[in-house]
Protein backbone atom coordinates (compact mmCIF):
# COMPACT_ATOMS: atom_id res chain seq x y z
CA UNK A 1 0.00 0.00 0.00
CA UNK A 2 1.37 3.37 -1.01
CA UNK A 3 1.71 6.22 1.46
CA UNK A 4 -0.97 8.20 -0.32
CA UNK A 5 -3.48 5.38 0.18
CA UNK A 6 -2.53 5.07 3.83
CA UNK A 7 -2.92 8.82 4.27
CA UNK A 8 -6.43 8.85 2.80
CA UNK A 9 -7.45 5.84 4.90
CA UNK A 10 -6.27 7.47 8.12
CA UNK A 11 -8.41 10.48 7.22
CA UNK A 12 -11.40 8.15 6.84
CA UNK A 13 -10.95 6.04 9.97
CA UNK A 14 -11.76 8.62 12.62
CA UNK A 15 -14.97 9.98 11.04
CA UNK A 16 -16.12 6.44 10.22
CA UNK A 17 -15.92 5.21 13.80
CA UNK A 18 -17.39 8.50 15.00
CA UNK A 19 -20.30 7.92 12.62
CA UNK A 20 -20.85 4.38 13.89
CA UNK A 21 -20.92 5.69 17.48
CA UNK A 22 -23.09 8.73 16.69
CA UNK A 23 -25.67 7.06 14.45
CA UNK A 24 -25.69 3.96 16.66
CA UNK A 25 -26.36 6.08 19.76
CA UNK A 26 -29.22 7.84 18.01
CA UNK A 27 -30.82 4.55 16.98
CA UNK A 28 -30.38 3.00 20.41
CA UNK A 29 -31.61 6.09 22.23
CA UNK A 30 -34.67 6.69 20.06
CA UNK A 31 -35.95 3.14 19.88
CA UNK A 32 -34.16 0.34 21.66
CA UNK A 33 -33.75 1.96 25.05
CA UNK A 34 -37.48 2.76 25.26
CA UNK A 35 -38.22 -0.85 24.41
CA UNK A 36 -35.84 -2.14 27.08
CA UNK A 37 -37.23 0.31 29.65
CA UNK A 38 -40.76 -0.92 28.90
CA UNK A 39 -39.65 -4.50 29.50
CA UNK A 40 -38.21 -3.59 32.87
CA UNK A 41 -41.08 -1.36 34.02
CA UNK A 42 -44.15 -3.01 32.47
CA UNK A 43 -43.02 -6.65 32.33
CA UNK A 44 -40.85 -6.61 35.48
CA UNK A 45 -38.07 -8.14 33.44
CA UNK A 46 -34.78 -8.63 35.34
CA UNK A 47 -32.15 -6.08 34.40
CA UNK A 48 -29.63 -8.77 33.39
CA UNK A 49 -32.12 -10.33 30.95
CA UNK A 50 -33.03 -6.91 29.54
CA UNK A 51 -29.32 -6.20 29.16
CA UNK A 52 -28.87 -9.47 27.28
CA UNK A 53 -31.65 -8.50 24.85
CA UNK A 54 -30.01 -5.10 24.43
CA UNK A 55 -26.69 -6.73 23.51
CA UNK A 56 -28.41 -9.12 21.09
CA UNK A 57 -29.91 -6.17 19.24
CA UNK A 58 -26.62 -4.32 18.82
CA UNK A 59 -25.27 -6.21 15.74
CA UNK A 60 -28.42 -5.40 13.77
CA UNK A 61 -28.14 -1.72 14.72
CA UNK A 62 -24.40 -1.45 14.05
CA UNK A 63 -24.68 -2.76 10.49
CA UNK A 64 -27.40 -0.17 9.82
CA UNK A 65 -24.92 2.56 10.68
CA UNK A 66 -22.25 1.36 8.22
CA UNK A 67 -23.68 3.03 5.06
CA UNK A 68 -24.30 6.32 6.91
CA UNK A 69 -20.88 6.22 8.54
CA UNK A 70 -19.18 5.53 5.21
CA UNK A 71 -20.86 8.58 3.69
CA UNK A 72 -20.06 10.78 6.68
CA UNK A 73 -16.42 9.65 6.76
CA UNK A 74 -15.96 10.29 3.04
CA UNK A 75 -17.59 13.72 3.23
CA UNK A 76 -15.52 14.83 6.21
CA UNK A 77 -12.23 13.37 4.96
CA UNK A 78 -12.42 14.98 1.54
CA UNK A 79 -13.91 18.15 2.99
CA UNK A 80 -10.94 18.53 5.33
CA UNK A 81 -8.38 17.79 2.61
CA UNK A 82 -10.17 20.20 0.30
CA UNK A 83 -10.33 23.03 2.87
CA UNK A 84 -6.61 22.74 3.62
CA UNK A 85 -5.80 22.73 -0.13
CA UNK A 86 -4.32 19.23 0.10
CA UNK A 87 -6.40 18.12 -2.87
CA UNK A 88 -4.85 20.94 -4.93
CA UNK A 89 -1.40 19.95 -3.71
CA UNK A 90 -1.98 16.32 -4.69
CA UNK A 91 -3.11 17.39 -8.17
CA UNK A 92 -0.08 19.67 -8.51
CA UNK A 93 2.07 16.66 -7.62
CA UNK A 94 0.51 14.61 -10.41
CA UNK A 95 -1.99 12.67 -8.31
CA UNK A 96 -5.40 12.77 -9.95
CA UNK A 97 -8.65 12.99 -8.02
CA UNK A 98 -9.69 9.56 -9.26
CA UNK A 99 -6.46 8.14 -7.84
CA UNK A 100 -7.34 9.64 -4.44
CA UNK A 101 -10.82 8.12 -4.54
CA UNK A 102 -9.65 4.55 -5.29
CA UNK A 103 -8.76 3.60 -1.66
CA UNK A 104 -12.10 5.06 -0.53
CA UNK A 105 -13.99 2.88 -3.01
CA UNK A 106 -12.04 -0.20 -1.87
CA UNK A 107 -13.01 0.56 1.71
CA UNK A 108 -16.62 0.98 0.60
CA UNK A 109 -16.60 -2.46 -1.02
CA UNK A 110 -14.96 -4.07 2.03
CA UNK A 111 -17.51 -2.49 4.37
CA UNK A 112 -20.28 -3.71 2.04
CA UNK A 113 -19.02 -7.30 2.29
CA UNK A 114 -18.58 -6.97 6.05
CA UNK A 115 -22.20 -5.80 6.34
CA UNK A 116 -23.43 -8.74 4.27
CA UNK A 117 -21.38 -11.15 6.39
CA UNK A 118 -22.77 -9.81 9.69
CA UNK A 119 -26.30 -9.77 8.26
CA UNK A 120 -25.94 -13.40 7.24
CA UNK A 121 -23.97 -14.95 10.10
CA UNK A 122 -24.96 -12.97 13.18
CA UNK A 123 -28.12 -10.85 12.82
CA UNK A 124 -30.60 -13.69 12.00
CA UNK A 125 -29.42 -15.62 15.08
CA UNK A 126 -29.58 -12.60 17.42
CA UNK A 127 -33.05 -11.65 16.12
CA UNK A 128 -34.34 -15.18 16.78
CA UNK A 129 -32.72 -15.29 20.23
CA UNK A 130 -34.31 -11.94 21.09
CA UNK A 131 -37.77 -13.22 20.17
CA UNK A 132 -37.17 -16.47 22.08
CA UNK A 133 -36.08 -14.69 25.27
CA UNK A 134 -39.00 -12.25 25.09
CA UNK A 135 -41.49 -15.07 24.57
CA UNK A 136 -40.11 -17.35 27.29
CA UNK A 137 -40.08 -14.57 29.85
CA UNK A 138 -43.53 -13.24 29.00
CA UNK A 139 -45.38 -16.55 28.65
CA UNK A 140 -43.22 -18.71 30.96
CA UNK A 141 -42.95 -21.43 28.35
CA UNK A 142 -40.59 -22.22 25.52
CA UNK A 143 -41.12 -20.74 22.11
CA UNK A 144 -43.59 -23.07 20.36
CA UNK A 145 -42.31 -25.16 17.49
CA UNK A 146 -45.80 -26.42 16.58
CA UNK A 147 -47.70 -24.98 13.61
CA UNK A 148 -51.49 -25.43 13.54
CA UNK A 149 -53.66 -26.16 10.53
CA UNK A 150 -50.83 -26.46 8.04
CA UNK A 151 -51.58 -26.79 4.33
CA UNK A 152 -49.73 -26.40 1.06
CA UNK A 153 -50.72 -26.82 -2.55
CA UNK A 154 -47.88 -26.89 -5.08
CA UNK A 155 -49.04 -26.09 -8.59
CA UNK A 156 -48.31 -28.24 -11.63
CA UNK A 157 -47.46 -25.52 -14.14
CA UNK A 158 -48.07 -27.83 -17.09
CA UNK A 159 -51.76 -28.23 -16.22
CA UNK A 160 -52.29 -25.20 -13.99
CA UNK A 161 -53.86 -27.55 -11.44
CA UNK A 162 -52.60 -28.57 -7.99
CA UNK A 163 -49.93 -31.24 -8.07
CA UNK A 164 -51.26 -32.34 -4.68
CA UNK A 165 -52.94 -30.88 -1.63
CA UNK A 166 -51.68 -31.64 1.84
CA UNK A 167 -53.42 -30.60 5.02
CA UNK A 168 -52.32 -31.39 8.56
CA UNK A 169 -53.90 -30.39 11.84
CA UNK A 170 -50.47 -29.68 13.31
CA UNK A 171 -46.75 -29.86 12.59
CA UNK A 172 -44.20 -30.38 15.35
CA UNK A 173 -40.91 -28.79 14.30
CA UNK A 174 -38.95 -30.60 17.04
CA UNK A 175 -39.92 -34.11 15.94
CA UNK A 176 -40.72 -33.34 12.30
CA UNK A 177 -44.14 -34.93 12.66
CA UNK A 178 -47.40 -34.09 10.91
CA UNK A 179 -50.61 -35.01 12.77
CA UNK A 180 -54.07 -35.80 11.35
CA UNK A 181 -52.89 -35.70 7.76
CA UNK A 182 -55.15 -35.37 4.72
CA UNK A 183 -53.57 -35.78 1.28
CA UNK A 184 -55.07 -35.45 -2.21
CA UNK A 185 -53.04 -36.60 -5.21
CA UNK A 186 -53.75 -35.22 -8.71
CA UNK A 187 -52.83 -36.49 -12.14
CA UNK A 188 -54.05 -35.09 -15.46
CA UNK A 189 -56.38 -32.62 -13.72
CA UNK A 190 -58.19 -35.29 -11.70
CA UNK A 191 -57.91 -36.75 -8.24
CA UNK A 192 -56.34 -40.19 -8.32
CA UNK A 193 -56.16 -40.87 -4.57
CA UNK A 194 -56.97 -39.51 -1.14
CA UNK A 195 -55.02 -40.51 1.95
CA UNK A 196 -56.04 -40.00 5.56
CA UNK A 197 -53.40 -40.78 8.17
CA UNK A 198 -53.03 -40.38 11.91
CA UNK A 199 -49.54 -38.96 11.47
CA UNK A 200 -46.62 -38.68 9.08
CA UNK A 201 -42.91 -38.55 9.81
CA UNK A 202 -39.83 -37.64 7.76
CA UNK A 203 -37.73 -40.83 7.60
CA UNK A 204 -34.76 -41.43 5.31
CA UNK A 205 -35.42 -38.31 3.21
CA UNK A 206 -39.09 -39.00 2.55
CA UNK A 207 -42.43 -38.80 4.33
CA UNK A 208 -43.94 -41.96 5.78
CA UNK A 209 -47.65 -42.00 6.65
CA UNK A 210 -48.81 -44.10 9.62
CA UNK A 211 -52.15 -45.69 10.51
CA UNK A 212 -54.40 -44.54 7.72
CA UNK A 213 -56.65 -45.24 4.79
CA UNK A 214 -56.20 -44.76 1.07
CA UNK A 215 -59.03 -44.17 -1.38
CA UNK A 216 -58.11 -44.83 -5.01
CA UNK A 217 -60.14 -43.37 -7.87
CA UNK A 218 -59.29 -45.49 -10.97
CA UNK A 219 -61.74 -43.87 -13.41
CA UNK A 220 -65.04 -42.07 -13.34
CA UNK A 221 -66.95 -45.23 -14.20
CA UNK A 222 -65.12 -47.53 -11.77
CA UNK A 223 -65.77 -47.87 -8.04
CA UNK A 224 -63.53 -46.34 -5.45
CA UNK A 225 -60.99 -48.73 -3.94
CA UNK A 226 -60.35 -48.44 -0.24
CA UNK A 227 -57.26 -49.81 1.52
CA UNK A 228 -55.92 -49.52 5.05
CA UNK A 229 -52.24 -49.31 5.93
CA UNK A 230 -49.91 -49.20 8.89
CA UNK A 231 -47.11 -47.51 7.00
CA UNK A 232 -47.09 -45.88 3.59
CA UNK A 233 -44.13 -44.21 1.93
CA UNK A 234 -44.95 -40.97 0.13
CA UNK A 235 -42.15 -39.83 -2.18
CA UNK A 236 -44.22 -37.21 -3.98
CA UNK A 237 -44.04 -34.72 -1.09
CA UNK A 238 -40.61 -33.15 -1.35
CA UNK A 239 -40.90 -30.66 1.51
CA UNK A 240 -38.70 -31.69 4.40
CA UNK A 241 -39.49 -30.64 7.99
CA UNK A 242 -36.72 -28.05 7.71
CA UNK A 243 -38.48 -26.43 4.75
CA UNK A 244 -41.87 -26.55 6.47
CA UNK A 245 -40.41 -25.00 9.63
CA UNK A 246 -39.16 -22.01 7.64
CA UNK A 247 -42.65 -20.53 7.51
CA UNK A 248 -42.67 -20.26 11.32
CA UNK A 249 -39.68 -17.94 11.23
CA UNK A 250 -39.83 -14.20 10.68
CA UNK A 251 -37.97 -12.99 7.63
CA UNK A 252 -35.47 -11.05 9.74
CA UNK A 253 -34.59 -14.34 11.47
CA UNK A 254 -33.65 -16.02 8.18
CA UNK A 255 -30.42 -15.99 6.26
CA UNK A 256 -30.62 -14.99 2.60
CA UNK A 257 -30.44 -18.67 1.60
CA UNK A 258 -33.36 -19.55 3.90
CA UNK A 259 -35.37 -16.61 2.60
CA UNK A 260 -34.73 -17.74 -1.00
CA UNK A 261 -35.81 -21.26 -0.03
CA UNK A 262 -39.07 -19.92 1.40
CA UNK A 263 -39.64 -17.87 -1.77
CA UNK A 264 -39.19 -21.00 -3.90
CA UNK A 265 -41.73 -22.86 -1.74
CA UNK A 266 -44.29 -20.07 -1.99
CA UNK A 267 -43.73 -19.79 -5.75
CA UNK A 268 -44.54 -23.50 -6.12
CA UNK A 269 -47.77 -22.81 -4.23
CA UNK A 270 -48.62 -20.05 -6.70
CA UNK A 271 -48.40 -17.28 -4.11
CA UNK A 272 -47.39 -13.69 -4.81
CA UNK A 273 -43.82 -13.41 -3.56
CA UNK A 274 -42.95 -9.90 -4.76
CA UNK A 275 -42.66 -8.58 -1.22
CA UNK A 276 -40.27 -11.35 -0.19
CA UNK A 277 -38.28 -10.98 -3.40
CA UNK A 278 -37.79 -7.25 -2.77
CA UNK A 279 -36.65 -8.05 0.76
CA UNK A 280 -34.29 -10.74 -0.54
CA UNK A 281 -32.63 -8.41 -3.07
CA UNK A 282 -32.40 -5.63 -0.48
CA UNK A 283 -30.30 -8.01 1.65
CA UNK A 284 -27.53 -7.25 -0.84
CA UNK A 285 -28.57 -3.85 -2.20
CA UNK A 286 -28.59 -2.01 1.14
CA UNK A 287 -25.11 -3.21 2.23
CA UNK A 288 -23.81 -2.29 -1.23
CA UNK A 289 -24.89 1.29 -0.51
CA UNK A 290 -21.64 1.58 1.50
CA UNK A 291 -19.79 1.51 -1.81
CA UNK A 292 -22.32 3.86 -3.42
CA UNK A 293 -21.99 6.37 -0.58
CA UNK A 294 -18.20 6.25 -0.86
CA UNK A 295 -18.60 6.97 -4.57
CA UNK A 296 -20.86 9.97 -4.04
CA UNK A 297 -19.32 11.25 -0.81
CA UNK A 298 -15.84 12.01 -2.16
CA UNK A 299 -16.83 14.59 -4.82
CA UNK A 300 -19.49 16.10 -2.55
CA UNK A 301 -16.85 16.68 0.10
CA UNK A 302 -14.83 18.81 -2.32
CA UNK A 303 -17.27 21.69 -2.23
CA UNK A 304 -15.63 24.73 -0.67
CA UNK A 305 -17.87 25.08 2.38
CA UNK A 306 -18.05 21.40 3.40
CA UNK A 307 -15.17 21.45 5.84
CA UNK A 308 -17.23 21.77 8.99
CA UNK A 309 -18.18 18.50 10.63
CA UNK A 310 -21.67 19.80 11.40
CA UNK A 311 -22.24 20.61 7.71
CA UNK A 312 -20.85 17.22 6.72
CA UNK A 313 -23.18 15.51 9.21
CA UNK A 314 -26.16 17.52 7.95
CA UNK A 315 -25.35 16.81 4.31
CA UNK A 316 -24.96 13.10 5.00
CA UNK A 317 -28.36 13.03 6.71
CA UNK A 318 -29.96 14.74 3.69
CA UNK A 319 -28.34 12.32 1.24
CA UNK A 320 -29.32 9.32 3.35
CA UNK A 321 -32.87 10.62 3.67
CA UNK A 322 -33.17 10.94 -0.12
CA UNK A 323 -31.63 7.47 -0.53
CA UNK A 324 -34.17 5.85 1.80
CA UNK A 325 -37.05 7.72 0.16
CA UNK A 326 -36.02 6.26 -3.20
CA UNK A 327 -35.43 2.88 -1.52
CA UNK A 328 -38.96 2.92 -0.06
CA UNK A 329 -40.53 3.99 -3.36
CA UNK A 330 -38.56 1.38 -5.32
CA UNK A 331 -39.53 -1.30 -2.82
CA UNK A 332 -43.21 -0.34 -3.02
CA UNK A 333 -43.15 -0.41 -6.84
CA UNK A 334 -41.37 -3.77 -6.76
CA UNK A 335 -43.89 -5.25 -4.33
CA UNK A 336 -46.79 -3.98 -6.43
CA UNK A 337 -45.29 -5.54 -9.56
CA UNK A 338 -45.02 -2.17 -11.34
CA UNK A 339 -41.32 -2.84 -11.79
CA UNK A 340 -39.37 -6.03 -11.21
CA UNK A 341 -38.50 -6.74 -7.54
CA UNK A 342 -34.76 -6.72 -8.26
CA UNK A 343 -34.99 -3.29 -9.91
CA UNK A 344 -37.13 -2.01 -7.04
CA UNK A 345 -34.49 -3.10 -4.54
CA UNK A 346 -31.51 -1.77 -6.50
CA UNK A 347 -33.14 1.43 -7.86
CA UNK A 348 -31.52 3.85 -5.34
CA UNK A 349 -28.10 2.28 -5.89
CA UNK A 350 -28.44 2.68 -9.64
CA UNK A 351 -29.52 6.34 -9.36
CA UNK A 352 -26.91 7.29 -6.78
CA UNK A 353 -24.17 5.44 -8.65
CA UNK A 354 -24.90 7.44 -11.80
CA UNK A 355 -24.90 10.67 -9.80
CA UNK A 356 -21.62 9.69 -8.11
CA UNK A 357 -19.92 8.86 -11.42
CA UNK A 358 -21.01 12.21 -12.88
CA UNK A 359 -19.73 14.10 -9.81
CA UNK A 360 -16.38 12.29 -9.88
CA UNK A 361 -16.02 12.98 -13.59
CA UNK A 362 -16.75 16.66 -12.99
CA UNK A 363 -14.33 16.85 -10.04
CA UNK A 364 -11.54 15.14 -11.95
CA UNK A 365 -11.60 17.65 -14.84
Amino acid sequence: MKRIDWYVLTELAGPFFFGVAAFGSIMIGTNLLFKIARYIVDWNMPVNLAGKILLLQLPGIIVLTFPMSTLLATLLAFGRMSSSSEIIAFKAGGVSFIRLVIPVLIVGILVSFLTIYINEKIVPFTNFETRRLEWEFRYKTRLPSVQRYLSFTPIDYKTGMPDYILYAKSFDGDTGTLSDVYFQDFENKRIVSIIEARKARWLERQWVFFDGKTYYFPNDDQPVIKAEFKELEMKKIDRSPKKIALSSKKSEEMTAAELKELINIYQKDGRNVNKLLVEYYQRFAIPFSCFIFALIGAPLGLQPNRSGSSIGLGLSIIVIFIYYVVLTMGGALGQAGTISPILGAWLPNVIFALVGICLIYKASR
Side-chain angles (χ1 to χ4, degrees), residues 13-224:
F16 178 80
F17 290 113
F18 167 76
V20 171
F23 291 121
S25 299
I26 292 172
M27 291 183 181
I28 292 171
T30 55
N31 184 17
L32 185 56
L33 282 183
F34 286 105
K35 182 179 175 183
I36 296 299
R38 184 166 57 85
Y39 289 165
I40 295 173
V41 175
D42 294 345
W43 294 11
N44 293 321
M45 181 181 284
V47 175
N48 60 339
L49 180 57
K52 188 174 182 180
I53 291 175
L54 175 65
L55 292 176
L56 285 170
Q57 291 290 287
L58 288 183
I61 291 176
I62 289 174
V63 292
L64 287 176
T65 67
F66 283 173
M68 296 180 271
S69 302
T70 303
L71 176 62
L72 178 65
T74 311
L75 280 169
L76 293 184
F78 277 80
R80 197 206 66 74
M81 289 193 293
S82 177
S83 64
S84 60
S85 302
E86 292 177 26
I87 300 293
I88 297 175
F90 277 123
K91 288 182 177 179
V95 180
S96 68
F97 178 70
I98 294 177
R99 176 63 185 84
L100 288 174
V101 171
I102 288 175
V104 180
L105 298 182
I106 293 174
V107 169
I109 290 177
L110 292 177
V111 176
S112 297
F113 283 117
L114 176 63
T115 305
I116 292 173
Y117 179 83
I118 295 175
N119 274 337
E120 281 295 288
K121 301 297 182 181
I122 299 176
V123 174
F125 169 77
T126 57
N127 284 339
F128 176 78
E129 279 298 296
T130 298
R131 184 162 69 95
R132 184 184 66 80
L133 290 175
E134 290 172 353
W135 178 281
E136 291 182 356
F137 176 78
R138 187 168 189 179
Y139 299 104
K140 310 302 180 189
T141 180
R142 62 188 296 247
L143 190 66
S145 60
V146 176
Q147 298 180 46
R148 302 288 182 188
Y149 308 111
L150 179 79
S151 67
F152 40 85
T153 311
I155 302 298
D156 182 350
Y157 287 101
K158 293 181 180 177
T159 62
M161 296 290 291
D163 190 19
Y164 62 82
I165 297 174
L166 185 138
Y167 170 84
K169 190 173 182 180
S170 65
F171 167 71
D172 189 331
D174 289 337
T175 61
T177 303
L178 296 166
S179 300
D180 295 328
V181 185
Y182 179 83
F183 176 81
Q184 285 186 349
D185 191 11
F186 289 79
E187 285 184 6
N188 298 322
K189 300 183 180 181
R190 59 181 290 273
I191 297 176
V192 294
S193 66
I194 293 177
I195 299 173
E196 297 173 346
R198 184 175 60 84
K199 67 177 182 180
R201 297 190 64 188
W202 183 258
L203 300 172
E204 299 179 353
R205 304 176 67 84
Q206 67 179 356
W207 285 101
V208 178
F209 288 11
F210 294 92
D211 304 327
K213 301 173 184 175
T214 303
Y215 301 90
Y216 295 102
F217 301 86
N219 288 301
D220 294 338
D221 56 349
Q222 294 181 348
V224 176

Side-chain angles (χ1 to χ4, degrees), residues 302-355:
L302 290 183
Q303 303 307 311
N305 58 347
R306 304 298 187 224
S307 58
S309 58
S310 59
I311 295 177
L313 181 62
L315 183 60
S316 63
I317 291 174
I318 293 172
V319 172
I320 290 162
F321 175 76
I322 296 173
Y323 178 89
Y324 277 97
V325 168
V326 179
L327 179 73
T328 303
M329 292 175 60
L333 293 174
Q335 291 178 21
T338 307
I339 60 177
S340 69
I342 188 170
L343 178 59
W346 282 86
L347 186 62
N349 285 351
V350 173
I351 294 175
F352 276 65
L354 292 175
V355 173

Side-chain angles (χ1 to χ4, degrees), residues 227-337:
E228 297 186 356
F229 62 86
K230 287 292 184 182
E231 291 187 15
L232 179 65
E233 295 179 353
M234 181 53 63
K235 296 181 179 179
K236 191 168 187 177
I237 307 172
D238 59 353
R239 299 188 183 181
S240 65
K242 186 178 179 181
K243 290 182 179 180
I244 296 174
L246 276 179
S247 59
S248 66
K249 277 186 173 182
K250 296 183 177 181
S251 59
E252 60 265 26
E253 296 167 359
M254 298 181 193
T255 64
E258 289 175 331
L259 184 58
K260 191 68 171 67
E261 185 75 55
L262 184 66
I263 291 170
N264 291 337
I265 291 172
Y266 284 173
Q267 282 179 324
K268 287 182 179 177
D269 287 353
R271 300 190 194 184
N272 186 332
V273 294
N274 283 345
K275 182 179 180 181
L276 291 176
L277 279 173
V278 169
E279 185 174 345
Y280 172 76
Y281 292 124
Q282 285 180 342
R283 294 284 183 97
F284 305 96
I286 293 177
F288 195 73
S289 65
C290 296
F291 172 76
I292 301 297
F293 285 154
L295 186 70
I296 202 170
L300 280 179
L302 290 183
Q303 303 307 311
N305 58 347
R306 304 298 187 224
S307 58
S309 58
S310 59
I311 295 177
L313 181 62
L315 183 60
S316 63
I317 291 174
I318 293 172
V319 172
I320 290 162
F321 175 76
I322 296 173
Y323 178 89
Y324 277 97
V325 168
V326 179
L327 179 73
T328 303
M329 292 175 60
L333 293 174
Q335 291 178 21

